[in-house]
């Protein structure tokens, strides 16, 4: 018997995916939906998205904070890169790597942190892909899944049809050979296009609205622009092999990301970005502003804080010792000679004055 490493690694996630799917399926059938209806299982997949994405909210918050910190240290990273520009020897590369990692450690961030939600979600995505992929052979063998997906539920899942046409486990490759294959292909193509479009728009709104001018000059920005167009191409080719249920999962997950990103960009934009300026304009129309702590306060309180900060800065500047301007040796000798001459002149009695008795 051949050992299935991928299946063994995915087994806990497949069990969890089946648990959530069956849980939602039980809930929807309890309120009157047909157990074998395509709509029931589609809603169960949407329920899986809601559970997964809600669980990822803490990671999403961490991602936002990490992205902000990466933008803050972008100028320092550019200085390190400029320092070692053109140096290709091993010692220079190691020194550049050490200084870069020291910056990440100092500010408590890494480039990987901004990808955490996607990295965590991908194994779940593959687990769902595996569950849907196994439905056909499990239904043919009369067995269930790895967890709560019993043989009866597996058969219902296998027989479920979206719009009474498209099976949850079918993809664009296998749809051609089925009855009503053209309708199934049309449904799949529509959902794949929507999946890709939602992914593209989500990334586009980040690049176009939520980056500061400094961030738009770095190498990371150029990579983001390239990925903006490369990712859709990757999904075009991979989407051909995605079962309908996986396409639905990914599309709904993209919709969640798009709405979530819209709220974050509107209410917590990157400082200096176009979105931040738009938010400041909206607040100004309401008589509000953002104070030094990042809180929304009345405009009067904001002006009072700005005045106080200005006065504190002026007092600190006045309290600093004045710097002596450096002078050359010749000028220093002349200044010293002038002082000595002045001192002698003040001590010599003026003509006509009588000496003190």
């Amino acid at each position: 018997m051949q050992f299935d490493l991928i299946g063994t690694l995915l087994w806990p996630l497949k069990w969890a995916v089946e648990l959530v799917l069956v849980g939602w399926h039980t809930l929807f059938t309890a309120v009157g939906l047909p157990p074998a209806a395509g709509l029931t299982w589609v809603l169960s997949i949407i329920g899986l998205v809601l559970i997964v994405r809600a669980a990822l909210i803490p990671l999403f918050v961490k991602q936002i904070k990490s992205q902000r910190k990466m933008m803050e240290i972008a100028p320092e990273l550019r200085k390190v890169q400029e320092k070692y520009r053109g140096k290709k020897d091993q010692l220079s590369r190691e020194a550049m790597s050490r200084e870069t990692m020291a910056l990440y450690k100092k500010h408590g961030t890494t480039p990987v942190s901004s990808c955490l939600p996607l990295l965590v979600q991908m194994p779940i995505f593959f687990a769902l892909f595996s569950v849907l992929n196994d439905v056909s052979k499990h239904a043919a063998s009369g067995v269930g899944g790895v967890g709560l997906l019993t043989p009866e539920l597996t058969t219902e899942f296998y027989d479920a049809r979206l719009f009474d046409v498209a099976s949850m486990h079918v993809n664009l490759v296998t749809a051609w050979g089925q009855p009503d294959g053209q309708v199934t292909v049309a449904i799949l193509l529509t959902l794949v296009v929507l999946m890709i479009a939602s992914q593209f728009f989500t990334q586009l709104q980040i690049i176009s609205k939520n980056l500061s001018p400094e961030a738009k000059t770095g190498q990371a920005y150029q990579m983001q622009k390239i990925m903006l167009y490369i990712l859709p191409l990757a999904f075009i080719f991979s989407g051909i092999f995605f079962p309908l249920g996986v396409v639905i999962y990914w599309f709904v997950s993209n919709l969640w990301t798009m709405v979530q990103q819209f709220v974050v960009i509107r209410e917590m934009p990157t400082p200096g970005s176009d979105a931040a300026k738009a938010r400041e304009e909206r607040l100004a129309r309401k008589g509000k502003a953002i104070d030094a702590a990042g809180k929304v306060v009345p405009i009067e309180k904001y002006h009072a804080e700005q005045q106080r900060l200005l006065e504190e800065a002026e007092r600190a500047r006045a309290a600093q010792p004045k710097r002596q301007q450096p002078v050359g040796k010749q000028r220093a000798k002349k200044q010293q000679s002038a002082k000595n001459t002045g001192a002698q002149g003040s001590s010599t009695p003026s003509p006509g004055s009588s000496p003190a008795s």
Side-chain angles (χ1 to χ4, degrees), residues 67-84:
Q67 287 175 340
R68 298 280 170 84
K69 289 179 181 178
M70 287 294 294
M71 290 175 186
E72 289 172 5
I73 68 173
E76 297 180 62
L77 285 173
R78 281 198 293 273
K79 288 180 182 178
V80 173
Q81 292 168 356
E82 288 295 330
K83 180 180 176 181
Y84 294 98

Side-chain angles (χ1 to χ4, degrees), residues 1 13 50 63 85 91 113 146 185 197 214 269 273 313 317 337:
M1 184 176 181
L13 288 175
L50 298 180
Q63 177 192 27
R85 184 180 295 276
L91 290 176
S113 300
V146 299
V185 167
E214 294 80 11
S273 64
R317 193 181 303 113
S337 177

Side-chain angles (χ1 to χ4, degrees), residues 201 203-211 216 221 274-275:
F201 181 78
Q203 190 65 20
L204 180 63
Q205 68 178 349
I206 297 173
I207 293 178
S208 61
K209 297 180 180 180
N210 203 36
L211 291 181
K216 290 183 179 181
Y221 174 68
D274 292 339

Side-chain angles (χ1 to χ4, degrees), residues 2-17:
Q2 189 175 3
F3 176 67
D4 184 7
L5 177 61
I6 302 298
T8 302
L9 293 175
L10 288 179
W11 188 92
L13 288 175
K14 290 172 67 175
W15 192 93
V17 165

Side-chain angles (χ1 to χ4, degrees), residues 325-336:
Q325 292 293 334
V327 295
K329 291 182 179 181
Q330 295 296 329
R331 187 176 179 184
K333 287 181 179 180
K334 289 180 180 180
Q335 289 177 348
Q336 186 62 40

Side-chain angles (χ1 to χ4, degrees), residues 165-166 170-172 174-190:
V165 176
V170 72
N171 59 38
L172 281 169
T174 58
W176 286 107
Q178 293 186 352
D180 298 322
Q182 293 180 345
V183 179
T184 302
V185 167
I187 293 171
L188 274 164
L189 280 176
T190 302

